[in-house]
Amino acid sequence: MARSQPAGALLRPWPKSQATPGLALPGFEGPGWSLAEAKGRPVLLNFWASWCEPCRAEMPSLELLAQRHEREGLLVLAVNQRETDAAIRRYLQLMPISLPVLRDLDGSTSRAWGARVLPTTVALGRDGKALFTVMGELDWTGPQARQWIAPLFS
């Protein structure tokens, strides 16, 4: 099981020698989703769990980021790691979000994308290729996040 990351976020470029994994996941009480659907759009894949305090803390700023950059086509997806429908439902009742929630039922998608600690967010360019990973909690509306995500919109 993934550990939660201590306070502070760490940016890691995606290894040039590592291919971008595929992604096709069921949705939580909604449609499933595959990476092919995002062609031409920048994407943030946020790997999280309801028991992860840093995940819960950063979720509102991720949602605000998605709203602020909707015109630029940004798609932010919340990929829940290995939790039951009941656990996700309880979380969403306490903290409703409008981000699409996808289910990584067995953790294999999180492993393929290098999400060994939570939260982990992977940024993909408009070409569908992974650019970088942010490990740990980040204020996605703050200056550090703005600097990191700026290349997604160029």
Side-chain angles (χ1 to χ4, degrees):
M1 181 173 279
R3 298 172 287 130
S4 63
Q5 176 74 9
L10 174 66
L11 179 94
R12 290 196 173 145
W14 191 264
K16 292 192 186 311
S17 62
Q18 186 176 339
T20 300
L23 185 95
L25 290 172
F28 173 72
E29 296 184 343
W33 190 85
S34 72
L35 199 51
E37 294 176 49
K39 188 171 176 125
R41 296 179 70 180
V43 176
L44 291 179
L45 298 175
N46 178 256
F47 294 89
W48 68 284
S50 65
W51 52 261
C52 166
E53 180 57 41
C55 300
R56 294 192 308 262
E58 81 171 358
M59 194 64 74
S61 71
L62 273 166
E63 185 159 37
L64 190 54
L65 178 78
Q67 292 166 359
R68 286 182 178 170
H69 292 282
E70 187 174 9
R71 285 191 184 142
E72 290 104 331
L74 179 65
L75 182 59
V76 179
L77 300 166
V79 181
N80 180 270
Q81 188 185 51
R82 298 175 56 185
E83 290 193 285
T84 64
D85 284 351
I88 296 170
R89 193 172 293 108
R90 275 192 305 273
Y91 172 81
L92 294 175
Q93 286 171 346
L94 294 172
M95 181 179 256
I97 60 171
S98 61
L99 299 174
V101 176
L102 303 178
R103 306 285 314 278
D104 182 9
L105 297 167
D106 63 3
S108 62
T109 300
S110 298
R111 284 189 299 278
W113 286 85
R116 288 168 181 70
V117 296
L118 296 178
T120 290
T121 303
V122 181
L124 293 89
R126 293 181 188 277
D127 61 0
K129 294 190 173 152
L131 300 173
F132 61 85
T133 300
V134 176
M135 294 173 46
E137 178 187 342
L138 179 65
D139 174 1
W140 288 95
T141 62
Q144 185 69 71
R146 281 195 299 274
Q147 178 185 348
W148 287 350
I149 65 166
L152 295 178
F153 306 115
S154 56

